[in-house]
Amino acid sequence: MGKYYDEDYEDEFFGAVKAKGKKNNKGNKSKINNKIDYMDEKPVKKEKSITRKIILNVSTINEPEVNMYYDANFECNGLISLESITKYVIYKLAEEVKTVDEIIMVASKFARDKRTKDPLWNNANSIEVFQDRIKGYLGENSEQNQRYEDYIQANNKDKDGNVFICDESSNTKKLKKRYKDCMPKFTVIDFEDGKDIEELLKLKNAILSDVNDGLELYVDTKGGNRNWIFQFDAIIGMIKDKIIKLERYETDYARGKSVPKHQFVDARKYYEMHELLNAYNLLTNYGIGDGLYEFFKNNDDVDPEIVKLAGLFKNAMESIAICKIDKLIEKLNNIENFKSDKKDIIEKSRFRLIIDELYMDTKGMLDHDPMDRF
């Protein structure tokens, strides 16, 4: 499982790191005077074993194209677009003194079989190139990956003659030490179009394989056919009780840019809307408010007052479910009063339109006899 350190220490990769210490029976944090050097000692294991996985849908191999990817604190190079987000997640986790346990590559038969005549690839498919690139980034450099690195260095200038690639060697040197005895497991899952339930269940089981106490799942959203993300979200819905963190990333990648630099994009906000509309649909059509409440509660950037309002909607729906009309009237009035008192907060919320829709629905119950709804 992923590594971590149990006390404050000086980390060679990122300097001073503040980590949570275990509590003893008296409720006080344990104290260790010596600092841990991960090169000499094995890190302390968590009492709860958290598994960290990256999942991506493999694209077919194309002609080699050198690109650079970046955000405010990170840069990497790429010959294929697949490698960028995996490198990004590996680095982000390294900042938290964590490692990736498994990288799941979802691949169609076409992606597995396609090879090009370009001599650089040496008849490899995209899966083989991707594994060479990531292992090389973690310090396990193959002869083939060295050829890729040489190609990047030989094609390091943009159309105006300016060098645009970055130097990955420092990160690779440090990651090599961190992953010395814990190279991620690479798993390939055959997946065509998701029309067969066996394919979806096979993928679900692969995601949950070796997961004990919790799963951190990091998703590269770029690849796959147009139906892939809907199928993947259906699987996420089936296993969400096991997921303690779900992050999605993409890049602003576009072939043929004059300066081939591409920025990383946190894609969670895009998929949040899908989740929110599903929760809204459950509440308005079926009177189930749990999803809406959980959605707001689990979003760090949602005002706590909005979370309270979602709780009021949830409580009102529960009163309908158990036919407590007197309680329903009370809770509908609570919503009315809350909206009046917190008008400014609601108006500033990016979820204002959804809140207004729900409010108009509940206001209609107050304006008429609630029994008319049955």
Side-chain angles (χ1 to χ4, degrees), residues 93-121:
L93 288 175
E95 287 185 303
E96 302 172 17
V97 201
K98 298 174 181 176
T99 54
V100 175
D101 297 297
E102 184 176 7
I103 300 172
I104 300 175
M105 298 162 285
V106 180
S108 66
K109 186 177 186 302
F110 185 56
R112 298 192 303 274
D113 291 348
K114 183 181 177 183
R115 301 167 193 271
T116 72
K117 295 181 180 179
D118 192 290
L120 178 65
W121 300 137

Side-chain angles (χ1 to χ4, degrees), residues 76-278:
C76 71
N77 303 317
L79 267 181
I80 56 173
S81 61
L82 288 174
E83 65 188 277
S84 59
I85 287 174
T86 295
K87 288 180 175 180
Y88 183 53
V89 172
I90 286 170
Y91 181 87
K92 281 173 65 69
L93 288 175
E95 287 185 303
E96 302 172 17
V97 201
K98 298 174 181 176
T99 54
V100 175
D101 297 297
E102 184 176 7
I103 300 172
I104 300 175
M105 298 162 285
V106 180
S108 66
K109 186 177 186 302
F110 185 56
R112 298 192 303 274
D113 291 348
K114 183 181 177 183
R115 301 167 193 271
T116 72
K117 295 181 180 179
D118 192 290
L120 178 65
W121 300 137
N122 196 22
N123 203 38
N125 63 16
S126 56
I127 295 169
E128 293 160 346
V129 174
F130 172 78
Q131 290 188 69
D132 265 337
R133 296 294 296 145
I134 299 305
K135 288 180 179 179
Y137 186 62
L138 297 177
E140 193 176 286
N141 201 29
S142 65
E143 181 179 340
Q144 180 61 29
N145 189 62
Q146 189 56 52
R147 293 181 64 203
Y148 299 151
E149 289 295 329
D150 293 343
Y151 182 90
I152 290 172
Q153 295 300 322
N155 295 272
N156 64 356
K157 295 181 180 179
D158 62 25
K159 293 180 179 180
D160 296 323
N162 300 312
V163 175
F164 66 90
I165 66 169
C166 64
D167 182 3
E168 293 183 340
S169 60
S170 177
N171 281 354
T172 293
K173 181 179 179 181
K174 295 166 184 176
L175 287 167
K176 181 176 182 179
K177 295 172 183 176
R178 179 148 299 167
Y179 281 86
K180 180 181 178 182
D181 298 315
C182 57
M183 187 66 68
K185 175 184 177 183
F186 290 83
T187 302
V188 179
I189 300 297
D190 301 346
F191 190 94
E192 295 307 317
D193 52 20
K195 293 179 180 177
D196 187 340
I197 189 64
E198 290 184 9
E199 281 192 330
L200 297 174
L201 293 177
K202 178 172 63 175
L203 179 56
K204 177 189 79 92
N205 292 336
I207 294 172
L208 291 181
S209 176
D210 298 321
V211 173
N212 296 316
D213 299 312
L215 170 66
E216 292 182 7
L217 189 61
Y218 302 87
V219 186
D220 180 339
T221 65
K222 298 194 310 298
N225 63 48
R226 65 187 64 186
N227 296 320
W228 156 248
I229 199 61
F230 300 108
Q231 296 159 336
F232 180 72
D233 275 355
I235 294 172
I236 293 300
M238 297 168 65
I239 64 174
K240 62 182 180 180
D241 60 317
K242 281 286 187 180
I243 298 176
I244 60 174
K245 180 185 283 188
L246 175 64
E247 295 187 1
R248 307 177 194 246
Y249 297 98
E250 59 185 44
T251 66
D252 66 353
Y253 181 81
R255 294 180 70 88
K257 292 176 70 172
S258 59
V259 180
K261 292 185 177 182
H262 314 279
Q263 190 166 12
F264 291 101
V265 178
D266 186 340
R268 283 176 291 182
K269 292 290 186 291
Y270 307 139
Y271 297 97
E272 275 182 359
M273 292 301 101
H274 176 65
E275 183 182 345
L276 175 59
L277 291 174
N278 278 342

Side-chain angles (χ1 to χ4, degrees), residues 281-327:
N281 178 61
L282 285 173
L283 191 147
T284 55
N285 289 336
Y286 305 102
I288 301 173
D290 301 69
L292 187 74
Y293 175 71
E294 291 296 322
F295 174 85
F296 287 130
K297 187 180 74 171
N298 294 329
N299 273 271
D300 295 335
D301 61 345
V302 174
D303 191 292
E305 297 299 330
I306 300 298
V307 178
K308 290 179 184 177
L309 179 57
L312 294 177
F313 283 121
K314 175 177 177 288
N315 291 339
M317 295 303 105
E318 288 172 349
S319 296
I320 294 176
I322 60 177
C323 299
K324 294 286 187 180
I325 301 304
D326 56 336
K327 289 290 184 183

